[in-house]
Amino acid sequence: MCPHALIPFKPAGPKSRLSGMLSPDERETFARAMLEDVIAAVKDANCSPVIIATELFDSEDIQITIADKDLSGTLNEVLSQAAGPVLILMADLPLATGESIRRVVNTKNDIAIVPGRGGGTNAIFVKEPTKFHVDYYGMSFSKHMQIVREAGLSCEVVDSFLLHTDIDEEDDLVELLTHGTGKSRKCLEDLGFTLSSEHGRVGVKRKNMPLQQS
């Protein structure tokens, strides 16, 4: 099975909750590195990446669809027209691997969902997209499970550390520096980030913190 993998991505002004440690330009560079890690994992899983972007940006040999609605509206339009299975995968999952993605798309159920932290949804695989719709933001995992029940679909909730770990907050960088092996971790290291175990708790610190841009 080689489904299309829809990857929502915001090229400009991403990851505002990391603004305490990264400048706007650095956040864009970091977000792009995470996207490239996700794309590499998708390709390793023999899926076909399609970026759902809020605006056009340079991307080599990857199909880009520009969102003309909000995230849910754009994805639902794609799902309603899909001719085969579809995977939706967030762009801030730098620990994703081909194996972890294959575990999702190889479900025996009609749909597989990977919850995110804080009640979100990090990945959805649906075999018959026209029978399902998404509703992101807020407690999206609970909303998606309700949609599954109302549609009468069988569902597997996949417990995956690698796909559960999204990068939104400063503390999330600990997981990436601890477990990451791709471009995202190298990006952080090149920016001077390292792990720190001061005061008995693992965190991150940065050498030569630059002045923040407005």
Side-chain angles (χ1 to χ4, degrees), residues 102-174:
R102 283 192 293 272
R103 180 183 172 193
V104 175
V105 301
N106 287 335
T107 183
K108 297 184 184 302
N109 291 272
D110 299 320
I111 186 169
I113 297 179
V114 181
R117 287 173 292 181
T121 309
N122 284 358
I124 299 174
F125 172 69
V126 56
K127 293 180 179 177
E128 297 184 71
T130 57
K131 294 183 178 181
F132 184 77
H133 67 276
V134 298
D135 188 354
Y136 282 95
Y137 303 114
M139 298 287 289
S140 66
F141 174 72
S142 296
K143 290 187 287 187
H144 288 142
M145 293 303 294
Q146 180 64 29
I147 293 168
V148 166
R149 287 190 290 270
E150 291 175 352
L153 301 173
S154 61
C155 180
E156 177 182 2
V157 178
V158 179
D159 181 9
S160 169
F161 170 74
L162 298 179
L163 297 180
H164 179 71
T165 305
D166 45 29
I167 307 298
D168 287 312
E169 310 283 352
E170 294 177 5
D171 287 347
D172 300 336
L173 302 181
V174 172

Side-chain angles (χ1 to χ4, degrees), residues 29-40 60 94-95 176-177 180-191:
T29 298
F30 179 52
R32 184 65 180 267
M34 289 196 290
L35 173 65
E36 291 177 1
D37 283 341
V38 170
I39 289 172
E60 297 182 2
L95 302 185
L176 178 53
L177 287 173
T181 59
K183 293 183 178 181
S184 306
R185 175 176 175 167
K186 184 178 186 305
C187 178
L188 289 182
E189 292 174 337
D190 288 347
L191 290 171

